[in-house]
Amino acid sequence: MKSIRRIIVERVSEALVAVLGAEGAEADPLVAPSQDSKRGDYQSNCAMGLAKKLGRKPRELAEQIVAGLKIDDLCEPPTIAGPGFINFRLKNEFLAAALGEIPPTQQEEDRLGIPRVSNPQVVVVDMSSPNLAKEMHVGHLRPTIIGDAVACILEFQGHDVHRINHIGDWGTQFGMLIEFLRETEPRVLDDPDNLQLGDLEEFYVKAKARFDSDEAFASQARQAVVDLQSGDEKTRTIWRAFCDESLRHCHAIYDALGIEKLEDRGESFYNDTLAGVVQELLDSGVAVESDGAICVFPKGFTRRDDEPLPLIIRKSDGGFGYATTDLAALKYRIEQMRARRIIYVVGNQQKQHFAMLFTALAMTGWADENVETVHLPTGMLLNKAGSPFKTREGGTVKLKTLLDEAVERSRAFLQAGEDDPEKRRGYTAEQIDKMAGVIGIASVKYFELSHNLATDYKFSWDHMLALDGNTAPYMLYAYARIQSIGRKADVQSSLDGSPVIIEHPSEAGLARQLLKFPEVIEQLGRDLKPNVLTEYLYDLSKSFSTFYDRKAGVRVIGAESEELRRSRLRLCELTGRTLKVGLSLLGIQTLERM
Ligand code: ARG
């Protein structure tokens, strides 16, 4: 299934060449979906700009382009509106033929016949990236869930995607943790692989209290930082043990969220390259000394007093920081991994950091014009009152607590109104467990993904778990309902060969929506906004509801003829497949029954 917009672009391009020759070959056909469906499905806005350039009347030029168009296999005769907009309305026969061409489900991966990109790139998605000193909290939801969705979408397009977990496993706070571990878990040196810390948050708080109240401890902690940096073996062993244990906590959460293929490559990975990077930047004049520190001054960034704002890459005490590591990581990703697109899914508090980093990168010459760096700034999670989402005591809400509650609430939701809460319409306790797990996680993910990623958003269980509206339970239910239609219809032979017939307006509406999917994927790959996909899927399920509605739509199982019945069942099947593929690109599993 090819993007219809693309087909129209090709046809308009051909017409432009036919009408204007070389001048037309260079022009952009400017084809976009119509804003107003009454006008048509797509429009081309190229006539106005071209007419201006050529000193001609836009409407006249539009008429000439229309006359040169060969498009009657796709569309009704194009119409011209206003100053020279060319409107296209797809024919029902074309909708039917295009859907008919979608190949049957493949075993491994259903692509709905959408081709892979012809120019696959290596893409790095820098996502999740918690600091290991502490437990993961709700602030990590978006960088994790949105990062994974973006990665899934680009992977589906055929790119070679690396989900890089740039974990914070380095820095001065580790001195304190190492020292506290040495004190409280003396066995860690003999048996570093079996360290178990029930609650990292508690451990951090205790270590911090010790650090703040005991000068001797604090000075040992500072020494531990020096030892760690100089590679002292025992100190490294304790540090590694702590990081491994903290990572195990993280991966319990990734497992619960169904996040696979995450490559843990923490800040410490770049340690050995930092000195070299700083030297290189000094040698090339990109970095300069300033008050004893080594700094890069990216153009256009100033402090309040208009003094240039530095990216400090070596502190005056000789230490390297966050920015140094990020520059080293960029160099590694570009030169070693050959990444052509590097996407950071990180909170919008770090907007300036990334803006400065990317400007600094442009000064280094590491990247040619084929390398694109993007910061996808994620908004903050707020409570109902609009303040940061915290526990009742004012602490950060652990991710584990939140996910457990989501699953528990989904279970309650599934069992609501049942006399025997252990049973639900004949499901075993095990099945209910599985369903609650899928719905709970899906709800959290879908809620995150359906909001504009950059804006702050309010947390609400009621909204998240509502069965109507643009929510996971609604989408999962829509999918399961379609699957049940298929079961009820009890089709004996494969529907794949039977022709699609588009006659009724609700059939045409559903067909249009289904055929938009390749375009949505294209747009997602470009703009990286998962909420465009949730909106599309929601619109698709609404078109389906209209189609399946007794009054507004058609009869499916009891259709007027066997031919229509098979065609409509095929529309059901295609809707189910599109929902399933779309949800899978958001990292969301579906249920066959619900
Ligand atoms: N660990 C950082 C934090 O928790 C996020 C890292 C984001 N990635 C990066 N390459 N800087 O704030």
Side-chain angles (χ1 to χ4, degrees):
M1 173 163 59
K2 216 168 151 184
S3 138
I4 296 175
R5 196 190 75 87
R6 256 177 203 252
I7 305 179
I8 299 181
V9 166
E10 283 161 19
R11 301 294 177 87
V12 179
S13 296
E14 284 161 19
L16 287 172
V17 174
V19 172
L20 300 170
E23 202 102 38
E26 274 166 32
D28 185 336
L30 295 174
V31 175
S34 287
Q35 297 297 335
D36 179 1
S37 64
K38 282 191 220 86
R39 291 247 166 98
D41 295 305
Y42 294 88
Q43 63 183 53
S44 162
N45 304 340
C46 66
M48 283 75 77
L50 269 173
K52 194 166 176 201
K53 206 166 127 200
L54 302 171
R56 295 185 43 184
K57 292 200 182 105
R59 245 195 115 92
E60 214 178 85
L61 183 60
E63 272 159 26
Q64 217 185 336
I65 296 170
V66 168
L69 264 168
K70 292 201 180 69
I71 202 160
D72 59 357
D73 52 332
L74 254 73
C75 304
E76 310 290 349
T79 56
I80 298 168
F85 298 106
I86 306 172
N87 291 318
F88 302 92
R89 182 181 299 286
L90 299 170
K91 282 182 180 169
N92 282 354
E93 303 90 83
F94 171 75
L95 297 174
L99 288 175
E101 272 170 26
I102 297 177
T105 323
Q106 244 81 54
Q107 275 306 321
E108 324 82 69
E109 186 198 25
D110 192 3
R111 300 192 58 82
L112 291 150
I114 299 175
R116 292 187 171 76
V117 290
S118 52
N119 53 341
Q121 295 177 315
V122 176
V123 182
V124 164
V125 181
D126 184 310
M127 56 178 277
S128 195
S129 307
N131 289 333
L132 292 189
K134 295 187 172 185
E135 200 93 33
M136 285 178 81
H137 56 82
V138 291
H140 294 109
L141 265 180
R142 303 204 106 184
T144 305
I145 291 172
I146 292 173
D148 190 49
V150 164
C152 286
I153 290 160
L154 293 170
E155 222 159 41
F156 182 80
Q157 285 196 300
H159 296 293
D160 177 8
V161 181
H162 293 269
R163 294 165 175 78
I164 302 291
N165 201 11
H166 189 80
I167 36 195
D169 61 357
W170 202 252
T172 46
Q173 79 259 56
F174 284 91
M176 172 183 100
L177 298 167
I178 290 167
E179 218 30 53
F180 197 60
L181 208 53
R182 214 193 300 258
E183 204 172 86
T184 53
E185 305 276 338
R187 285 188 27 240
V188 64
L189 266 173
D190 309 322
D191 190 12
D193 295 338
N194 287 310
L195 175 66
Q196 276 180 21
L197 298 172
D199 190 322
L200 285 171
E201 210 63 29
E202 214 177 280
F203 185 81
Y204 182 89
V205 169
K206 282 187 184 156
K208 179 87 169 61
R210 187 97 175 77
F211 184 85
D212 289 339
S213 64
D214 185 333
E215 194 32 58
F217 178 88
S219 102
Q220 276 164 344
R222 280 189 285 270
Q223 183 58 40
V225 177
V226 176
D227 292 345
L228 182 64
Q229 282 171 350
S230 61
D232 173 67
E233 218 171 290
K234 283 186 180 169
T235 311
R236 286 249 163 163
T237 303
I238 303 177
W239 165 75
R240 199 56 281 158
F242 178 85
C243 290
D244 286 348
E245 166 64 354
S246 180
L247 263 178
R248 282 191 284 273
H249 285 230
C250 297
H251 278 275
I253 289 182
Y254 297 138
D255 289 348
L257 283 172
I259 308 278
E260 294 162 5
K261 303 195 229 170
L262 198 53
E263 300 170 44
D264 295 324
R265 191 174 295 149
E267 295 179 22
S268 65
F269 176 84
Y270 305 97
N271 279 347
D272 296 344
T273 67
L274 301 182
V277 167
V278 172
Q279 194 55 50
E280 182 189 330
L281 295 178
L282 269 173
D283 291 346
S284 59
V286 172
V288 290
E289 208 212 294
S290 170
D291 287 335
I294 307 295
C295 303
V296 178
F297 290 96
K299 278 175 219 79
F301 296 89
T302 49
R303 298 193 307 211
R304 283 225 186 100
D305 57 4
D306 274 353
E307 286 298 306
L309 190 64
L311 207 55
I312 300 175
I313 59 170
R314 196 172 79 204
K315 290 180 251 174
S316 50
D317 68 3
F320 305 113
Y322 189 56
T324 327
T325 305
D326 261 331
L327 273 171
L330 265 172
K331 186 174 162 71
Y332 180 83
R333 291 166 184 179
I334 295 166
E335 292 178 359
Q336 307 295 316
M337 299 177 75
R338 309 231 131 253
R340 289 299 165 264
R341 206 171 182 199
I342 306 171
I343 300 162
Y344 296 83
V345 191
V346 185
N348 53 20
Q349 305 91 326
Q350 297 194 33
K351 227 176 184 160
Q352 171 160 296
H353 167 73
F354 285 107
M356 290 176 77
L357 190 68
F358 298 164
T359 310
L361 174 67
M363 297 160 71
T364 63
W366 296 336
D368 61 19
E369 70 282 0
N370 296 316
V371 174
E372 185 196 3
T373 49
V374 191
H375 175 210
L376 290 185
T378 58
M380 220 174 28
L381 187 56
L382 305 173
N383 63 18
K384 265 193 207 138
S387 1
F389 191 75
K390 293 271 166 73
T391 59
R392 220 170 285 157
E393 294 76 33
T396 45
V397 178
K398 284 186 204 167
L399 213 38
K400 174 104 184 39
T401 318
L402 183 115
L403 296 180
D404 288 348
E405 186 168 350
V407 173
E408 276 327 299
R409 281 179 183 257
S410 302
R411 188 192 310 280
F413 158 92
L414 278 169
Q415 293 170 335
E418 302 290 327
D419 304 334
D420 180 355
E422 284 304 303
K423 289 209 192 87
R424 181 179 183 263
R425 280 184 251 133
Y427 292 127
T428 62
E430 217 172 297
Q431 284 166 323
I432 290 190
D433 274 350
K434 175 163 187 268
M435 287 163 76
V438 171
I439 299 170
I441 298 301
S443 300
V444 173
K445 285 190 170 183
Y446 199 89
F447 184 72
E448 295 291 322
L449 293 161
S450 58
H451 287 84
N452 181 338
L453 69 96
T455 47
D456 294 348
Y457 62 114
K458 288 186 185 171
F459 190 85
S460 157
W461 287 117
D462 291 343
H463 177 170
M464 204 181 290
L465 292 168
L467 196 48
D468 50 358
N470 190 10
T471 65
Y474 174 83
M475 297 306 304
L476 293 180
Y477 183 72
Y479 175 78
R481 186 170 72 143
I482 293 170
Q483 299 310 98
S484 85
I485 297 168
R487 284 190 298 270
K488 229 185 284 163
D490 191 23
V491 198
Q492 297 301 329
S493 63
S494 159
L495 290 167
D496 293 323
S498 29
V500 180
I501 304 158
I502 302 291
E503 282 166 357
H504 192 274
S506 72
E507 290 171 321
L510 178 58
R512 285 194 159 80
Q513 206 58 40
L514 285 168
L515 290 168
K516 254 190 216 158
F517 192 50
E519 270 164 53
V520 172
I521 298 287
E522 255 179 41
Q523 188 188 346
L524 287 165
R526 215 174 33 239
D527 303 343
L528 311 172
K529 290 182 180 153
N531 64 311
V532 169
L533 182 51
T534 56
E535 266 151 45
Y536 166 75
L537 295 173
Y538 185 50
D539 286 344
L540 175 62
S541 61
K542 282 192 288 191
S543 297
F544 182 80
S545 292
T546 309
F547 158 81
Y548 199 66
D549 184 83
R550 251 166 221 236
K551 288 204 194 93
V554 293
R555 282 180 299 162
V556 174
I557 296 182
E560 298 83 331
S561 69
E562 181 58 16
E563 237 191 340
L564 281 175
R565 185 176 118 100
R566 290 181 71 86
S567 162
R568 289 173 187 165
L569 283 169
R570 204 164 162 196
L571 287 174
C572 293
E573 192 199 23
L574 287 171
T575 308
R577 282 171 64 188
T578 307
L579 287 177
K580 186 174 174 136
V581 173
L583 288 169
S584 81
L585 296 182
L586 297 170
I588 292 174
Q589 265 182 292
T590 42
L591 293 164
E592 296 302 299
R593 295 163 199 267
M594 192 172 146

